[in-house]
Amino acid sequence: MKILVCMSVVPDTTTKISFTDNNTKLNTQGVQFIINPYDELSLTRAIELTEKHGGTVTVANVGKADADAVIRKALAIGANDAIRINADPVDGQYVAEQLAHVIRSGGYDLVLTGRESIDYNGGQVCGLLGELLSWPAVNVCTRIDLENGKAIFERDIDGGRQTVTSSLPAVASAQKDLCEPRIPNMKGIMAARTKPLTVVEPVAVEFASTYRQFETPAPKQAVKLIDAANAGQLIDLLRNEAKIIA
Amino acid sequence: MTGIYAENSEGIFKKSVLEAASYASRISNGGVLAVCIGQPKDGEADKLAQYGVSKLIVVDGIPAFDSQAYTAEITKIFSANQVQHIVLANTYEGKTLAPRISVAMNASLATNVVDFPDTSNGFRIRRGVFSGKGFAIVELNKTNKVIAITPNSTELKQNPVTISIEHSQAAAHQINTEITATSKAAGKIPLTEAEVVVSAGRGMKGPENWKMVEELAELLGAATACSKPVADMDWRPHNEHVGQTGITIKPNLYIAIGISGAIQHLAGVSSSKVIVVINKDPEAPFFKAADYGIVGDAFDVLPQLIEAARASKN
Ligand SMILES: Cc1cc2nc3c(=O)[nH]c(=O)nc-3n(C[C@H](O)[C@H](O)[C@H](O)COP(=O)(O)OP(=O)(O)OC[C@H]3O[C@@H](n4cnc5c(N)ncnc54)[C@H](O)[C@@H]3O)c2cc1C
């Protein structure tokens, strides 16, 4: 079983987001970068699957050299090796094209992504890879298992869940509840130092989109406080002042 | 002609599909073509017509969802009709199909779109980024474009037209995925589509106290949600967990009870139109993001709200 885990490197969840250069760039001053939380889940599940069924886990990232420290963390958690495609991750489509190129020559049985990357919230890469590779893609999975040469997924659907059996190779995206993310231990951190991290150059791809500008949400007006002794008044305000309920 | 993929929820077109129709009809300069898979119920096509859909093509012959077969049929129809812009709702199904369709049609892809495009200088859309902490203006460079819009984000405006309905027989596809079980919480309003959400956190002390939360939700026609620790402790099902690592929602009204308002929680709910916070701690950070606030004990405030909501219903 050869599993590839696609990993993005994102600002820590506590980051207060602001922009620089005329609101064209994320202000990275003081920002701590981490493994995208959903990719941490797919990585952990991939490791669990190879522990059970044998095989290897490769981590792939589209990013520049500053991502290497975070990639090493994925190796410390237990991936066998890593590939970094040396390019700025312009958008989901660019990232997927680069990953697809690596996957085509890699002979993988299963490719995992996160449900979305918590920075650009595209939720695109899983489906894009599926179509680029002509593979089945199963999105937002809370269970990933292997049985008799097939994959068994449980995925979220609107208002519920669904179990899906898929042929391999396949691509799937991880959702919360898939597993408990693993934390690297000392042995893993030592081993990660010497695990292979291959850097490859990107292939030429047309840019499908261009990020022009960023905005932060408009600041809120001051809160209107309602006396707790007279809380029922809220319902009246919501109906007649905010006009938000019938 | 602009296209929409009309997700068919057991024969029904939900509000998110009508929003896609409304969006498409606003950006189209020559009608809206909707593609749906499987027969819709009687009267459903008329709902689409109310929002500007001039033609509906129903694809027959695909028994169950398979992203590859769906994509092949949808793009076959859009290509044959020279559709360049395709709009769909950013639901679970929409999120699965939008990327595939963009590849199959060599299109630029924008998901999580929250506004109508600005075409004064290229084709620019506004999309949510950093889990509710920001927005990006993105220019879509390719001629073909796939736009997945966030439910409850864009105006739903009637634009009644007459609709023609055609059927298309699906080709024989090799089906790689098989659905073996489906479980749905019956009768519940899906969180992502709810216009009112009543949400509660660790301040509720234990799962046995959710009766009050559910009662208020029912009176307001609301869906229920919760903070992450509440789902982690299994007080509530995980599909109610909202926030940075849960579901991002954008209801008209979000009522937060006994939730502190941590940055990761706010990330998933701060785009709600009106936020009400009920917390006994006046220093709770959530009050900074609130429109209305009640500093008080949930166990004292909730019964009052339930009573007021019930009184005003009668
Ligand atoms: C990587 C990461 C991702 C995360 N993602 C999410 C996420 O997606 N969603 C999320 O919600 N959290 C997330 N968190 C957790 C987040 O940081 C907070 O810990 C969490 O939101 C707190 O939940 P809470 O407000 O229910 O509980 P608490 O922080 O314990 O707050 C409980 C609140 O209830 C109030 N209270 C207590 N009793 C009463 C009473 N009787 N009446 C009224 N008020 C009362 C208290 O004053 C307090 O403000 C994440 C954390 C990390 C590190």
Side-chain angles (χ1 to χ4, degrees):
Chain A
M1 181 61 46
K2 265 190 95 173
I3 306 178
L4 184 84
V5 173
C6 307
M7 183 185 89
S8 76
V9 171
V10 299
D12 172 54
T13 56
T14 57
T15 307
K16 219 175 158 301
I17 296 295
S18 66
F19 303 101
T20 61
D21 293 35
N22 248 334
N23 287 326
T24 57
K25 281 202 179 80
L26 175 71
N27 181 0
T28 54
Q29 192 99 53
V31 173
Q32 180 93 11
F33 283 87
I34 58 168
I35 302 175
N36 179 41
Y38 296 109
D39 304 342
E40 218 166 13
L41 297 177
S42 53
L43 172 63
T44 302
R45 188 62 196 146
I47 295 165
E48 289 171 0
L49 287 172
T50 53
E51 283 168 355
K52 193 166 164 203
H53 301 277
T56 56
V57 177
T58 301
V59 168
N61 168 259
V62 179
K64 289 292 182 64
D66 50 8
D68 284 350
V70 182
I71 297 173
R72 288 278 170 212
K73 189 175 166 208
L75 293 171
I77 291 172
N80 299 84
D81 58 358
I83 302 168
R84 180 168 61 78
I85 299 145
N86 190 27
D88 277 321
V90 182
D91 62 21
Q93 292 180 278
Y94 182 84
V95 166
E97 294 270 9
Q98 300 303 334
L99 291 168
H101 185 72
V102 166
I103 294 166
R104 280 190 195 104
S105 56
Y108 298 99
D109 305 292
L110 183 64
V111 171
L112 301 180
T113 74
R115 180 194 91 180
E116 68 175 18
S117 182
I118 63 163
D119 50 1
Y120 291 99
N121 308 114
Q124 302 178 349
V125 173
C126 172
L128 289 169
L129 286 177
E131 195 66 16
L132 288 166
L133 301 163
S134 298
W135 289 6
V138 182
N139 221 359
V140 200
C141 295
T142 52
R143 175 189 163 200
I144 302 175
D145 274 310
L146 298 167
E147 258 171 46
N148 308 321
K150 293 200 167 224
I152 298 171
F153 302 110
E154 206 165 272
R155 70 163 168 229
D156 280 355
I157 55 171
D158 285 307
R161 274 196 187 162
Q162 203 160 57
T163 313
V164 178
T165 305
S166 171
S167 59
L168 293 172
V171 49
S173 74
Q175 161 74 321
K176 194 197 158 232
D177 254 21
L178 176 63
C179 55
E180 277 304 312
R182 275 193 199 177
I183 299 162
N185 56 28
M186 208 50 217
K187 203 169 137 231
I189 293 166
M190 298 302 287
R193 291 189 186 156
T194 52
K195 284 181 179 172
L197 193 174
T198 312
V199 178
V200 300
E201 290 307 313
V203 288
V205 180
E206 183 192 349
F207 295 131
S209 67
T210 314
Y211 276 76
R212 293 286 177 198
Q213 191 107 42
F214 292 99
E215 294 167 4
T216 42
K220 276 266 177 188
Q221 301 263 311
V223 54
K224 183 165 187 170
L225 288 178
I226 296 148
D227 185 6
N230 196 3
Q233 201 198 341
L234 173 72
I235 301 294
D236 183 54
L237 287 169
L238 292 175
R239 176 168 302 122
N240 297 314
E241 186 181 83
K243 299 193 190 327
I244 211 86
I245 55 172
Chain B
M1 185 108 97
T2 301
I4 70 162
Y5 168 65
E7 179 176 340
N8 177 344
S9 312
E10 280 139 39
I12 305 286
F13 297 128
K14 290 194 184 159
K15 184 175 164 231
S16 53
V17 172
L18 306 181
E19 285 172 349
S22 190
Y23 191 104
S25 125
R26 175 141 157 193
I27 67 171
S28 175
N29 41 24
V32 175
L33 166 66
V35 175
C36 97
I37 302 199
Q39 180 66 32
K41 290 199 167 131
D42 285 350
E44 288 296 306
D46 294 334
K47 266 166 54 185
L48 296 181
Q50 285 301 310
Y51 293 94
V53 174
S54 45
K55 185 170 172 180
L56 170 67
I57 299 184
V58 178
V59 177
D60 302 313
I62 307 182
F65 183 79
D66 175 85
S67 66
Q68 287 174 288
Y70 269 42
T71 301
E73 290 300 324
I74 294 165
T75 54
K76 185 175 80 188
I77 292 169
F78 285 144
S79 301
N81 287 276
Q82 284 87 44
V83 169
Q84 292 183 333
H85 297 169
I86 297 157
V87 184
L88 20 63
N90 214 38
T91 56
Y92 284 112
E93 191 169 309
K95 275 187 226 183
T96 302
L97 292 173
R100 295 203 87 115
I101 295 172
S102 76
V103 172
M105 298 200 57
N106 186 25
S108 290
L109 170 65
T111 50
N112 226 7
V113 174
V114 296
D115 208 345
F116 294 100
D118 174 359
T119 51
S120 58
N121 186 5
F123 189 104
R124 297 184 180 192
I125 53 88
R126 199 158 181 269
R127 61 184 303 271
V129 292
F130 298 104
S131 308
K133 295 182 204 167
F135 296 97
I137 308 294
V138 186
E139 184 163 348
L140 304 183
N141 300 328
K142 295 193 179 185
T143 309
N144 290 350
K145 297 166 182 73
V146 173
I147 301 165
I149 56 171
T150 304
N152 270 337
S153 301
T154 53
E155 192 194 9
L156 184 59
K157 199 171 154 204
Q158 295 215 343
N159 173 25
V161 295
T162 42
I163 189 166
S164 65
I165 304 172
E166 284 175 19
H167 283 258
S168 164
Q169 184 60 35
H173 293 279
Q174 181 196 325
I175 301 289
N176 291 320
T177 62
E178 185 198 351
I179 297 165
T180 55
T182 301
S183 65
K184 276 196 177 183
K188 280 210 150 186
I189 304 166
L191 198 45
T192 45
E193 288 166 34
E195 294 184 10
V196 180
V197 173
V198 177
S199 184
R202 206 142 61 172
M204 287 311 293
K205 310 279 190 282
E208 65 280 5
N209 298 322
W210 248 263
K211 250 189 81 126
M212 285 190 289
V213 177
E214 288 185 321
E215 204 172 340
L216 180 63
E218 199 181 318
L219 285 165
L220 297 176
T224 49
C226 69
S227 68
K228 179 174 185 282
V230 164
D232 287 346
M233 291 181 293
D234 281 333
W235 291 2
R236 299 297 293 175
H238 114 100
N239 59 12
E240 284 195 3
H241 158 198
V242 291
Q244 183 137 22
T245 49
I247 299 172
T248 301
I249 53 170
K250 209 182 162 179
N252 290 334
L253 174 60
Y254 183 74
I255 302 181
I257 306 157
I259 301 176
S260 57
I263 189 165
Q264 297 96 346
H265 184 86
L266 292 180
V269 303
S270 58
S271 313
S272 309
K273 283 202 188 88
V274 173
I275 295 179
V276 174
V277 170
I278 298 160
N279 198 305
K280 68 176 182 189
D281 174 11
E283 302 298 321
F286 218 147
F287 283 116
K288 288 205 178 67
D291 299 279
Y292 295 97
I294 301 177
V295 180
D297 192 316
F299 293 87
D300 164 46
V301 170
L302 267 175
Q304 293 186 57
L305 293 182
I306 290 167
E307 198 189 296
R310 185 172 293 132
S312 72
K313 260 200 133 169
N314 297 331

mmCIF file of all heavy atoms in Angstrom, chain A residues 51-73:
data_model
loop_
_atom_site.group_PDB
_atom_site.id
_atom_site.type_symbol
_atom_site.label_atom_id
_atom_site.label_comp_id
_atom_site.label_asym_id
_atom_site.label_seq_id
_atom_site.Cartn_x
_atom_site.Cartn_y
_atom_site.Cartn_z
ATOM 1 N N GLU A 51 0.456 0.782 9.190
ATOM 2 C CA GLU A 51 0.819 -0.074 10.323
ATOM 3 C C GLU A 51 0.026 -1.374 10.287
ATOM 4 O O GLU A 51 0.514 -2.435 10.649
ATOM 5 C CB GLU A 51 0.570 0.668 11.647
ATOM 6 C CG GLU A 51 1.651 1.687 11.961
ATOM 7 C CD GLU A 51 1.292 2.637 13.104
ATOM 8 O OE1 GLU A 51 0.153 2.571 13.616
ATOM 9 O OE2 GLU A 51 2.151 3.443 13.464
ATOM 10 N N LYS A 52 -1.207 -1.279 9.811
ATOM 11 C CA LYS A 52 -2.082 -2.448 9.773
ATOM 12 C C LYS A 52 -1.846 -3.300 8.523
ATOM 13 O O LYS A 52 -1.825 -4.529 8.584
ATOM 14 C CB LYS A 52 -3.526 -1.965 9.809
ATOM 15 C CG LYS A 52 -4.530 -3.048 10.080
ATOM 16 C CD LYS A 52 -5.884 -2.456 10.445
ATOM 17 C CE LYS A 52 -6.953 -3.527 10.322
ATOM 18 N NZ LYS A 52 -8.279 -2.970 10.121
ATOM 19 N N HIS A 53 -1.695 -2.629 7.380
ATOM 20 C CA HIS A 53 -1.665 -3.354 6.106
ATOM 21 C C HIS A 53 -0.280 -3.378 5.451
ATOM 22 O O HIS A 53 -0.112 -3.977 4.399
ATOM 23 C CB HIS A 53 -2.639 -2.711 5.113
ATOM 24 C CG HIS A 53 -4.065 -2.685 5.602
ATOM 25 N ND1 HIS A 53 -4.909 -3.762 5.476
ATOM 26 C CD2 HIS A 53 -4.778 -1.722 6.215
ATOM 27 C CE1 HIS A 53 -6.097 -3.445 5.987
ATOM 28 N NE2 HIS A 53 -6.042 -2.216 6.445
ATOM 29 N N GLY A 54 0.711 -2.719 6.056
ATOM 30 C CA GLY A 54 2.017 -2.598 5.412
ATOM 31 C C GLY A 54 2.003 -1.474 4.397
ATOM 32 O O GLY A 54 0.942 -1.002 4.001
ATOM 33 N N GLY A 55 3.208 -1.035 3.984
ATOM 34 C CA GLY A 55 3.278 0.015 2.977
ATOM 35 C C GLY A 55 3.994 1.248 3.478
ATOM 36 O O GLY A 55 4.631 1.229 4.539
ATOM 37 N N THR A 56 3.901 2.312 2.685
ATOM 38 C CA THR A 56 4.629 3.533 3.020
ATOM 39 C C THR A 56 3.720 4.752 2.905
ATOM 40 O O THR A 56 2.750 4.747 2.157
ATOM 41 C CB THR A 56 5.814 3.764 2.057
ATOM 42 O OG1 THR A 56 5.306 3.791 0.722
ATOM 43 C CG2 THR A 56 6.876 2.694 2.201
ATOM 44 N N VAL A 57 4.097 5.781 3.663
ATOM 45 C CA VAL A 57 3.378 7.056 3.607
ATOM 46 C C VAL A 57 4.352 8.147 3.148
ATOM 47 O O VAL A 57 5.380 8.371 3.786
ATOM 48 C CB VAL A 57 2.805 7.442 4.986
ATOM 49 C CG1 VAL A 57 2.127 8.812 4.921
ATOM 50 C CG2 VAL A 57 1.841 6.378 5.484
ATOM 51 N N THR A 58 3.998 8.789 2.056
ATOM 52 C CA THR A 58 4.783 9.920 1.565
ATOM 53 C C THR A 58 3.959 11.185 1.764
ATOM 54 O O THR A 58 2.748 11.190 1.535
ATOM 55 C CB THR A 58 5.093 9.751 0.061
ATOM 56 O OG1 THR A 58 5.805 8.527 -0.110
ATOM 57 C CG2 THR A 58 5.923 10.911 -0.477
ATOM 58 N N VAL A 59 4.631 12.245 2.201
ATOM 59 C CA VAL A 59 3.948 13.533 2.353
ATOM 60 C C VAL A 59 4.358 14.422 1.189
ATOM 61 O O VAL A 59 5.538 14.467 0.830
ATOM 62 C CB VAL A 59 4.359 14.194 3.689
ATOM 63 C CG1 VAL A 59 3.911 15.646 3.730
ATOM 64 C CG2 VAL A 59 3.753 13.443 4.844
ATOM 65 N N ALA A 60 3.412 15.096 0.569
ATOM 66 C CA ALA A 60 3.745 16.024 -0.509
ATOM 67 C C ALA A 60 3.220 17.404 -0.176
ATOM 68 O O ALA A 60 2.102 17.559 0.298
ATOM 69 C CB ALA A 60 3.146 15.540 -1.826
ATOM 70 N N ASN A 61 4.066 18.402 -0.427
ATOM 71 C CA ASN A 61 3.676 19.794 -0.167
ATOM 72 C C ASN A 61 4.114 20.652 -1.359
ATOM 73 O O ASN A 61 5.195 20.451 -1.901
ATOM 74 C CB ASN A 61 4.374 20.284 1.125
ATOM 75 C CG ASN A 61 4.277 21.789 1.315
ATOM 76 O OD1 ASN A 61 5.227 22.531 1.049
ATOM 77 N ND2 ASN A 61 3.135 22.257 1.777
ATOM 78 N N VAL A 62 3.257 21.569 -1.748
ATOM 79 C CA VAL A 62 3.656 22.571 -2.728
ATOM 80 C C VAL A 62 4.006 23.810 -1.933
ATOM 81 O O VAL A 62 3.126 24.422 -1.311
ATOM 82 C CB VAL A 62 2.522 22.869 -3.735
ATOM 83 C CG1 VAL A 62 2.952 23.942 -4.726
ATOM 84 C CG2 VAL A 62 2.114 21.590 -4.461
ATOM 85 N N GLY A 63 5.275 24.159 -1.908
ATOM 86 C CA GLY A 63 5.678 25.296 -1.092
ATOM 87 C C GLY A 63 7.149 25.593 -1.267
ATOM 88 O O GLY A 63 7.882 24.849 -1.929
ATOM 89 N N LYS A 64 7.562 26.695 -0.661
ATOM 90 C CA LYS A 64 8.965 27.092 -0.718
ATOM 91 C C LYS A 64 9.713 26.526 0.494
ATOM 92 O O LYS A 64 9.115 25.902 1.366
ATOM 93 C CB LYS A 64 9.063 28.618 -0.777
ATOM 94 C CG LYS A 64 8.593 29.200 -2.123
ATOM 95 C CD LYS A 64 9.564 28.809 -3.218
ATOM 96 C CE LYS A 64 9.242 29.374 -4.599
ATOM 97 N NZ LYS A 64 9.309 30.828 -4.679
ATOM 98 N N ALA A 65 11.013 26.795 0.536
ATOM 99 C CA ALA A 65 11.881 26.179 1.548
ATOM 100 C C ALA A 65 11.422 26.454 2.981
ATOM 101 O O ALA A 65 11.679 25.657 3.891
ATOM 102 C CB ALA A 65 13.319 26.662 1.357
ATOM 103 N N ASP A 66 10.688 27.568 3.185
ATOM 104 C CA ASP A 66 10.259 27.857 4.560
ATOM 105 C C ASP A 66 9.236 26.839 5.077
ATOM 106 O O ASP A 66 8.912 26.827 6.260
ATOM 107 C CB ASP A 66 9.736 29.300 4.696
ATOM 108 C CG ASP A 66 8.711 29.660 3.636
ATOM 109 O OD1 ASP A 66 8.289 28.743 2.890
ATOM 110 O OD2 ASP A 66 8.316 30.839 3.552
ATOM 111 N N ALA A 67 8.733 25.979 4.186
ATOM 112 C CA ALA A 67 7.806 24.930 4.632
ATOM 113 C C ALA A 67 8.545 23.722 5.211
ATOM 114 O O ALA A 67 7.930 22.862 5.856
ATOM 115 C CB ALA A 67 6.923 24.483 3.470
ATOM 116 N N ASP A 68 9.867 23.656 4.991
ATOM 117 C CA ASP A 68 10.597 22.435 5.360
ATOM 118 C C ASP A 68 10.473 22.063 6.836
ATOM 119 O O ASP A 68 10.363 20.884 7.179
ATOM 120 C CB ASP A 68 12.077 22.574 4.974
ATOM 121 C CG ASP A 68 12.276 22.399 3.469
ATOM 122 O OD1 ASP A 68 11.303 21.989 2.787
ATOM 123 O OD2 ASP A 68 13.385 22.680 2.981
ATOM 124 N N ALA A 69 10.468 23.082 7.712
ATOM 125 C CA ALA A 69 10.370 22.773 9.148
ATOM 126 C C ALA A 69 9.051 22.064 9.457
ATOM 127 O O ALA A 69 9.014 21.126 10.260
ATOM 128 C CB ALA A 69 10.479 24.064 9.955
ATOM 129 N N VAL A 70 7.981 22.498 8.805
ATOM 130 C CA VAL A 70 6.676 21.879 9.051
ATOM 131 C C VAL A 70 6.633 20.484 8.409
ATOM 132 O O VAL A 70 6.054 19.548 8.967
ATOM 133 C CB VAL A 70 5.535 22.796 8.535
ATOM 134 C CG1 VAL A 70 4.174 22.189 8.840
ATOM 135 C CG2 VAL A 70 5.637 24.183 9.160
ATOM 136 N N ILE A 71 7.275 20.343 7.250
ATOM 137 C CA ILE A 71 7.339 19.023 6.606
ATOM 138 C C ILE A 71 8.092 18.037 7.503
ATOM 139 O O ILE A 71 7.687 16.879 7.663
ATOM 140 C CB ILE A 71 8.004 19.122 5.214
ATOM 141 C CG1 ILE A 71 7.160 20.007 4.288
ATOM 142 C CG2 ILE A 71 8.196 17.733 4.601
ATOM 143 C CD1 ILE A 71 7.795 20.308 2.937
ATOM 144 N N ARG A 72 9.152 18.517 8.130
ATOM 145 C CA ARG A 72 9.913 17.643 9.060
ATOM 146 C C ARG A 72 9.019 17.178 10.202
ATOM 147 O O ARG A 72 9.164 16.088 10.730
ATOM 148 C CB ARG A 72 11.131 18.377 9.634
ATOM 149 C CG ARG A 72 12.255 18.600 8.654
ATOM 150 C CD ARG A 72 13.168 17.386 8.480
ATOM 151 N NE ARG A 72 14.069 17.624 7.360
ATOM 152 C CZ ARG A 72 14.544 16.690 6.549
ATOM 153 N NH1 ARG A 72 14.204 15.413 6.733
ATOM 154 N NH2 ARG A 72 15.338 16.982 5.567
ATOM 155 N N LYS A 73 8.098 18.027 10.599
ATOM 156 C CA LYS A 73 7.187 17.629 11.675
ATOM 157 C C LYS A 73 6.308 16.463 11.209
ATOM 158 O O LYS A 73 6.055 15.521 11.970
ATOM 159 C CB LYS A 73 6.328 18.821 12.107
ATOM 160 C CG LYS A 73 5.557 18.482 13.354
ATOM 161 C CD LYS A 73 4.770 19.615 13.944
ATOM 162 C CE LYS A 73 3.803 19.021 14.964
ATOM 163 N NZ LYS A 73 2.592 19.779 15.159
#
